[in-house]
Amino acid sequence: MSSSSQPDGPEQLGEMYHVTLSVCGDPMDEASLQEALRRLAEERPFLLSARFSSERAEVRYWEEARCLDDAAALALRLWGEHRTSAGLPAWEVVGLEVVDRETYHWRMAQPPAPALVPAGEVAPF
């Protein structure tokens, strides 16, 4: 029997995807927001980091999912699903990046890239 037909194979368990979710909305007291983000970290396994200002937040975490589409769908629901329990503001998702584990580790191994590439230019990593 090949490993791909075993029920406990990697395709059954899912892959890990690195997610960066950006949200923004009406200004909020930063101390309250910081506490809400800490509660989110307690509720959400694999939360790596959160950055915030009074009008914006960005959370980075790992998501286990069958495929990237599923990981993205779960990420888009994260803020709303934890809004009440963590006390998060009613902000809108304004950005989402989901990459597989291999891509994430590849990026981390690269030297720092310039912040911007001029418009219309194609540049190597």
Side-chain angles (χ1 to χ4, degrees):
M1 177 183 265
S2 73
S3 64
S4 63
S5 62
Q6 293 177 358
D8 60 346
E11 66 279 357
Q12 298 298 320
L13 298 176
E15 300 289 330
M16 295 300 287
Y17 294 91
H18 185 263
V19 174
T20 303
L21 182 71
S22 301
V23 295
C24 71
D26 293 333
M28 175 179 186
D29 173 67
E30 288 187 13
S32 298
L33 179 57
Q34 184 175 20
E35 286 305 311
L37 289 169
R38 286 179 194 213
R39 284 189 295 274
L40 175 63
E42 292 171 3
E43 293 177 10
R44 182 70 179 108
F46 307 117
L47 188 71
L48 296 176
S49 66
R51 300 188 308 171
F52 65 93
S53 69
S54 64
E55 300 173 347
R56 178 174 302 272
E58 178 183 276
V59 293
R60 295 173 184 253
Y61 65 96
W62 288 98
E63 182 69 72
E64 185 175 15
R66 183 181 55 83
C67 63
L68 188 135
D69 289 350
D70 289 352
L74 291 166
L76 288 170
R77 293 195 312 258
L78 174 82
W79 196 262
E81 288 179 352
H82 290 271
R83 186 172 291 147
T84 301
S85 60
L88 299 169
W91 288 352
E92 297 293 322
V93 173
V94 295
L96 174 64
E97 180 185 56
V98 181
V99 296
D100 67 356
R101 185 189 312 219
E102 183 179 332
T103 300
Y104 174 80
H105 288 294
W106 178 82
R107 282 183 179 175
M108 293 299 108
Q110 301 305 306
L116 296 174
V117 174
E121 187 173 319
V122 177
F125 281 109

